[in-house]
Amino acid sequence: MRFEPRDVLQKLEFDRITDLLEKRTLTPMGAEQARLIGPMLDFERIDAALREVRDYKLLLEKNERMPLETFSDLRPALRLLAIPDYTLPLEAFQNIRRVLALMRGVFRFFSGPKKEIYPKLYAHVAHLPQEEGLLKAIDEVFDEKGDLRPDASPELMRIRREQMSKMRELDTRFRQLVAEYRNKGWLSDAPESIRNGRRVLAVPAEHRRKIRGILHDESDTGRTVFIEPEPIIEINNDLFDLEAEERREIFRILRQLSQRIRPYTDLLGHYQDALLRLEVIQAKAQLALDMRANMPILRPKPIISIRKGYHPLLYLKNKAVGKKTVPFDLRLHPEQHILVLSGPNAGGKSVAMKSVGLLQLMVQSGLLIPVHELSELGIFEQVFADIGDQQSLDDGLSTYSSRLQNARVFLQHATPNTLVLIDEMGSGTDPKPGGAIAEAILQELYRKGVYAVITTHYSNLKVFAFRHEGILNGCMHFDKDTLSPTYELKVGRPGSSYAFEIAAKSGLPKRVIDYARKRTGSETAVDDLLIELQREKQELEELLRTLKAKEENLDRLMKTYDSMHHDLEVRRKRLKLDQKEFELRVSAQASREVDKLVRQLREEKSLERAQQVAQELRQTRAETARQIDDINAEVLQLEEKKPAATSTRAFQVGDYARLRAGGAVGRIESIKDNKAQLIMGGLTVTASLRDLLPVAAPAATPVAGPKTDLQKTAEFENKIDIRGMTPDEAMRVLEKFVDNALLANATTLRILHGKGVGVLRRVVKEKLREYGRHIARSYHPEPELGGDGVTIVELA
């Protein structure tokens, strides 16, 4: 990632964020890694870093604990262990044991469902094998405190036992000598001491010849000498020999243990790296908790959409003293990618600008930020910032010269993937040429499509932003009544410097302020006019957005109404079609009776009468068939007029389609010569493509063969209960009930409507009247079977 100038991270105080991370790490190695954290460019890496911190923050919020504690750096010991036959010292094994114990705890933490709950954290150890044998081998030599176990080997046990025995013998003999020489008055008040690792007697110089032994030392004054009595010299010699044996045995044990773990040198390094990564993630999560940070929505392309954002350092500072921090909202996108921020001094302009830059740097460094979780931030390849006084005596640059030099670099290297932050743009020189140059620079930045937050007091920059669609005016709100800033960011209108009001509050004489007002004159009026124009523009844009939303909603409602009206019309036509088809079926069923009648008439030699009956039958059936064709054509015409809700692409094998006539749905198995073969239940049907309508795949249902009329009749329930329904509900339910009864060839229906005041009974009669000749008769049964509360219907 490119920064201009090089100290952008310091200007935006990102180094203070890494300082806070360091304080939350557990080890010097973790602190070192925290100092190296910086912005990244790879979207996948950034997203993974943010998600793992979010997982750890969730872990902390649930008061769950991953066993991470301090440990020493294994890298020096591992480099030595890689040398063949090298024996690690005792302290190195203690450090290795610490790391292995921590890793065992981490593996146990993820042994249950937590690997699914925190997948990003588990990914840091998922690829590592768990070598329980290493820790077991070290535990056979070291205890829980890291000290060498007395039973680390049989030889060490023997040496330790002999040492204890000699120590007891030495102690007994020494007490005897002390008692004997004290009675003789040959010892000092403090009779014993340790010199050269041996137990000795403190003897006044005048009695030194009276006690036989080895003289080891004398006091600084020469009045006391320290003598190892002759009776215990041999015992001390034995102890020295045992200590030498102990050291040799410990070295042998450590050499053997070094050989045991040497093949796992690389794995131990990976263990330490995993612990360090988890340690840094833990530090990030703890910092996120402290500043109430969240993970925003990450985008691969530049965008800044901050909701309820805070400056992280300001939030922590105010939180420590119980002071409220004012959040801000800001949205910059390709259509509006520059914010010109104005307002009074000390109103928070620079803090808001720095907040945007610091939050962006933190996100691209894999840190959660104090914003609402629905905020969106993209990836920037460059961050340029012109903040503060950058004059240099060494380079011979004044403040304004340094600003112009920065502007030259910005314009030379800026791209649409660049975030530019400029504080007090155009300041440092005469306002008129300075404002003109600042406007020219702003125009060039706008042309290059950079994202920018710029603070200024210059009116011409506010006017420039007002005239260009891709630039937003913004201000820090100022309370005119109290003449104090509220630190609220208002996007959409420029701000005033309130210089005269602040000057009056500071105590400047009124005549001084009046004189200044006269000198500024029209400039102040232009500023006020611009603010008013921006306010009216914002109100009009809001009104237009509201009207557009209402218009879209009205269009949706009208389309919904048209679709519902069309569906209702199709249903009516289909019902009529079904009725006519039913009449045709009834006519076909009655043909046998007619044939019988014709034969009878022939037998009676009434030939003319037979021909007349046959002709009437043919005419009736032809008329019914014609009506069916007409209704079917109407249905097809309605369906063709229906607004297309699906794609008009050509049918393909595997699509689902519905027959225009009849409405049966099937799956297309093959297409040839503008004809399609469809599978409908267990049947194969061939139909022309123009007779098919596209439909969505039906929901999965248990596979069953095509149902016969007998099956439909068996499945139909000829009883219905409409008690408790409103008249309208009862009418709809009864219509569907009787229609299904007719299709199922039912003969008798039972409708339970209750007695009451007779409203539902009248509804039943009215509905049955609509079916005319399809109803043979309707009546109420005997009182014991329901009486007036039930209607029995016999179908023709």
Side-chain angles (χ1 to χ4, degrees):
M1 191 172 190
R2 178 171 184 161
F3 302 106
E4 290 292 346
R6 300 301 181 187
D7 61 349
V8 168
L9 295 180
Q10 289 72 36
K11 292 288 185 182
L12 295 176
E13 300 181 285
F14 184 78
D15 55 329
R16 293 183 59 189
I17 297 295
T18 56
D19 289 342
L20 293 174
L21 278 177
E22 283 187 57
K23 294 177 181 178
R24 288 163 173 79
T25 55
L26 302 172
T27 66
M29 300 85 71
E32 180 182 355
Q33 290 200 7
R35 284 193 297 271
L36 298 176
I37 288 176
M40 301 174 285
L41 294 177
D42 184 76
F43 177 84
E44 299 297 335
R45 286 184 62 197
I46 298 171
D47 184 67
L50 290 172
R51 291 182 184 278
E52 63 192 17
V53 179
R54 184 188 61 181
D55 283 0
Y56 210 114
K57 176 172 172 274
L58 176 63
L59 183 151
L60 295 177
E61 288 173 340
K62 292 182 177 181
N63 291 321
E64 296 179 345
R65 181 180 176 274
M66 189 180 294
L68 296 179
E69 298 175 6
T70 183
F71 60 92
S72 299
D73 190 358
L74 297 185
R75 287 173 293 186
L78 295 180
R79 284 193 293 268
L80 296 174
L81 188 61
I83 302 174
D85 298 328
Y86 186 88
T87 301
L88 291 178
L90 190 70
E91 296 78 7
F93 284 107
Q94 293 170 341
N95 296 336
I96 291 173
R97 186 193 179 281
R98 177 72 167 170
V99 169
L100 290 172
L102 290 175
M103 281 302 299
R104 178 179 61 184
V106 171
F107 282 124
R108 288 177 179 175
F109 178 84
F110 288 115
S111 61
K114 291 187 175 63
K115 65 177 67 174
E116 284 81 24
I117 300 175
Y118 310 112
K120 294 297 181 181
L121 299 178
Y122 177 63
H124 288 284
V125 299
H127 63 286
L128 297 176
Q130 184 177 0
E131 293 291 343
E132 290 282 0
L134 288 179
L135 187 58
K136 183 178 180 182
I138 295 179
D139 282 343
E140 290 175 354
V141 177
F142 296 92
D143 58 21
E144 290 292 332
K145 297 180 180 179
D147 298 327
L148 197 68
R149 301 173 65 94
D151 57 349
S153 73
E155 180 64 15
L156 186 61
M157 288 179 61
R158 180 193 65 78
I159 294 172
R160 294 281 175 87
R161 282 197 300 268
E162 291 187 11
Q163 282 179 327
M164 294 298 295
S165 176
K166 288 293 180 180
M167 289 294 294
R168 287 193 295 270
E169 181 182 352
L170 175 64
D171 189 60
T172 301
R173 187 67 182 118
F174 204 85
R175 284 200 303 271
Q176 292 174 352
L177 292 174
V178 169
E180 177 183 348
Y181 295 149
R182 177 175 284 167
N183 290 334
K184 295 179 179 180
W186 295 349
L187 300 178
S188 300
D189 294 336
E192 64 177 286
S193 183
I194 300 293
R195 289 292 187 275
N196 299 324
R198 290 177 175 256
R199 201 169 179 181
V200 296
L201 296 173
V203 181
E206 61 269 22
H207 300 304
R208 62 189 302 175
R209 303 288 183 185
K210 299 177 181 178
I211 299 178
R212 295 179 60 84
I214 298 174
L215 179 65
H216 282 272
D217 197 4
E218 63 179 19
S219 65
D220 294 337
T221 62
R223 294 180 179 178
T224 303
V225 295
F226 299 95
I227 301 174
E228 181 183 4
E230 191 177 64
I232 66 170
I233 290 176
E234 191 62 30
I235 300 176
N236 273 332
N237 288 338
D238 292 342
L239 284 173
F240 264 76
D241 291 342
L242 290 172
E243 288 174 2
E245 289 184 39
E246 182 185 36
R247 286 193 297 272
R248 288 193 296 271
E249 179 60 19
I250 291 175
F251 181 80
R252 187 193 66 79
I253 293 171
L254 297 182
R255 183 176 59 189
Q256 184 178 358
L257 189 57
S258 297
Q259 295 292 345
R260 171 72 172 83
I261 68 172
R262 183 169 283 111
Y264 300 96
T265 302
D266 291 341
L267 179 61
L268 292 172
H270 295 326
Y271 279 175
Q272 174 168 296
D273 291 342
L275 290 175
L276 287 176
R277 287 194 296 270
L278 292 173
E279 177 189 346
V280 174
I281 294 170
Q282 176 181 262
K284 290 181 180 180
Q286 287 176 339
L287 180 61
L289 275 182
D290 293 340
M291 61 177 60
R292 293 177 58 193
N294 293 301
M295 177 183 171
I297 300 171
L298 190 66
R299 302 297 186 192
K301 298 296 183 181
I303 186 175
I304 295 175
S305 179
I306 297 174
R307 300 186 184 184
K308 296 183 180 179
Y310 298 90
H311 190 290
L313 300 174
L314 181 61
Y315 177 82
L316 292 175
K317 177 184 175 183
N318 289 341
K319 178 183 176 183
V321 296
K323 187 177 178 181
K324 181 182 177 181
T325 306
V326 180
F328 70 94
D329 293 350
L330 175 63
R331 178 171 176 80
L332 299 179
H333 49 88
E335 286 73 32
Q336 291 179 319
H337 50 90
I338 296 178
L339 173 68
V340 175
L341 191 56
S342 52
N345 288 323
K349 298 190 304 297
S350 298
V351 172
M353 177 198 63
K354 288 182 177 179
S355 298
V356 175
L358 183 56
L359 293 176
Q360 185 65 47
L361 292 176
M362 289 178 64
V363 164
Q364 289 192 227
S365 301
L367 295 169
L368 304 188
I369 55 176
V371 298
H372 192 277
E373 57 188 9
L374 293 180
S375 301
E376 299 179 50
L377 289 171
I379 307 299
F380 288 91
E381 297 175 357
Q382 303 180 118
V383 176
F384 299 164
D386 186 354
I387 301 173
D389 188 358
Q390 300 180 41
Q391 66 175 327
S392 172
L393 295 176
D394 295 334
D395 298 332
L397 292 176
S398 65
T399 299
Y400 190 64
S401 297
S402 67
R403 285 184 174 275
L404 292 179
Q405 184 169 327
N406 284 338
R408 177 184 62 80
V409 175
F410 294 176
L411 295 179
Q412 183 179 353
H413 299 288
T415 69
N417 293 325
T418 303
L419 175 62
V420 176
L421 308 170
I422 302 178
D423 193 21
E424 301 295 350
M425 188 176 191
S427 64
T429 189
D430 186 286
K432 286 191 175 181
I437 293 175
E439 182 176 332
I441 294 171
L442 177 58
Q443 182 181 33
E444 191 64 16
L445 291 175
Y446 170 69
R447 189 184 66 81
K448 286 179 172 288
V450 303
Y451 284 69
V453 178
I454 296 168
T455 70
T456 187
H457 288 286
Y458 288 172
S459 297
N460 66 309
L461 298 184
K462 305 175 193 177
V463 174
F464 184 85
F466 176 76
R467 292 175 175 172
H468 291 76
E469 290 294 330
I471 306 179
L472 292 169
N473 263 311
C475 69
M476 303 306 296
H477 186 256
F478 192 79
D479 191 330
K480 294 181 181 180
D481 298 328
T482 62
L483 294 179
S484 60
T486 63
Y487 305 109
E488 296 179 27
L489 174 60
K490 300 289 186 180
V491 177
R493 64 184 65 179
S496 171
S497 62
Y498 295 99
F500 297 123
E501 291 82 353
I502 295 173
K505 184 180 179 181
S506 67
L508 278 179
K510 185 176 182 299
R511 64 179 180 277
V512 174
I513 297 173
D514 290 343
Y515 179 82
R517 285 184 185 275
K518 291 179 182 178
R519 295 296 297 170
T520 56
S522 61
E523 293 181 10
T524 305
V526 170
D527 220 16
D528 294 339
L529 179 61
L530 178 62
I531 293 173
E532 184 63 23
L533 286 173
Q534 189 78 56
R535 182 187 63 79
E536 292 179 359
K537 178 184 177 184
Q538 191 174 8
E539 290 175 355
L540 286 173
E541 289 175 347
E542 183 63 30
L543 179 60
L544 285 173
R545 282 194 294 269
T546 302
L547 290 175
K548 186 176 180 181
K550 289 182 178 179
E551 184 180 1
E552 291 175 352
N553 190 36
L554 181 60
D555 288 341
R556 285 195 296 271
L557 290 174
M558 291 180 65
K559 289 178 181 178
T560 302
Y561 171 78
D562 291 341
S563 177
M564 292 176 64
H565 182 269
H566 175 272
D567 291 344
L568 179 61
E569 197 65 28
V570 170
R571 289 181 183 180
R572 287 176 179 172
K573 295 293 183 181
R574 284 196 173 280
L575 178 60
K576 192 174 179 180
L577 178 64
D578 292 342
Q579 290 173 347
K580 292 297 180 180
E581 289 177 344
F582 178 74
E583 291 176 6
L584 190 61
R585 288 197 300 271
V586 171
S587 177
Q589 291 172 0
S591 62
R592 288 190 299 272
E593 298 179 7
V594 174
D595 291 341
K596 181 179 179 181
L597 177 61
V598 169
R599 284 195 300 273
Q600 183 180 351
L601 290 172
R602 285 175 175 171
E603 290 173 358
E604 295 175 357
K605 300 192 175 182
S606 300
L607 183 59
E608 293 182 359
R609 175 62 179 159
Q611 290 176 344
Q612 180 181 355
V613 170
Q615 181 66 23
E616 290 176 356
L617 177 61
R618 283 194 295 272
Q619 290 178 352
T620 301
R621 295 185 64 180
E623 178 64 21
T624 302
R626 186 189 62 78
Q627 292 178 357
I628 290 174
D629 291 339
D630 292 344
I631 297 172
N632 194 24
E634 292 177 7
V635 172
L636 294 177
Q637 186 177 6
L638 282 172
E639 289 179 336
E640 289 173 352
K641 290 181 179 179
K642 184 174 182 180
T646 59
S647 172
T648 57
R649 68 177 179 84
F651 284 110
Q652 298 178 358
V653 174
D655 290 349
Y656 283 84
R658 176 166 59 84
L659 292 173
R660 292 181 185 272
V665 175
R667 184 175 181 274
I668 297 177
E669 287 296 306
S670 64
I671 298 176
K672 185 177 181 181
D673 297 333
N674 291 326
K675 292 187 178 181
Q677 279 195 346
L678 296 90
I679 299 298
M680 297 180 178
L683 302 176
T684 300
V685 177
T686 301
S688 175
L689 291 178
R690 66 172 179 268
D691 294 332
L692 300 178
L693 292 173
V695 296
T701 56
V703 178
K707 295 182 179 179
T708 64
D709 290 341
L710 182 60
Q711 288 174 314
K712 292 180 180 178
T713 303
E715 292 176 358
F716 175 72
E717 177 64 46
N718 70 338
K719 295 182 291 184
I720 189 172
D721 186 352
I722 62 172
R723 290 179 296 178
M725 297 184 184
T726 64
D728 290 340
E729 291 174 340
M731 289 286 272
R732 290 194 298 270
V733 171
L734 283 171
E735 182 175 345
K736 184 175 181 180
F737 175 67
V738 177
D739 288 347
N740 290 336
L742 291 172
L743 293 175
N745 294 326
T747 57
T748 304
L749 306 179
R750 179 181 177 87
I751 303 173
L752 177 60
H753 45 69
K755 297 179 180 180
V757 296
V759 174
L760 292 180
R761 183 168 63 250
R762 288 193 293 274
V763 168
V764 171
K765 288 183 178 179
E766 182 180 348
K767 175 53 68 174
L768 294 177
R769 212 177 292 123
E770 294 178 6
Y771 286 84
R773 60 189 184 84
H774 294 291
I775 307 298
R777 71 175 183 130
S778 63
Y779 61 92
H780 300 301
E782 293 78 14
E784 60 269 23
L785 297 178
D788 294 341
V790 176
T791 295
I792 303 298
V793 181
E794 292 180 359
L795 300 178

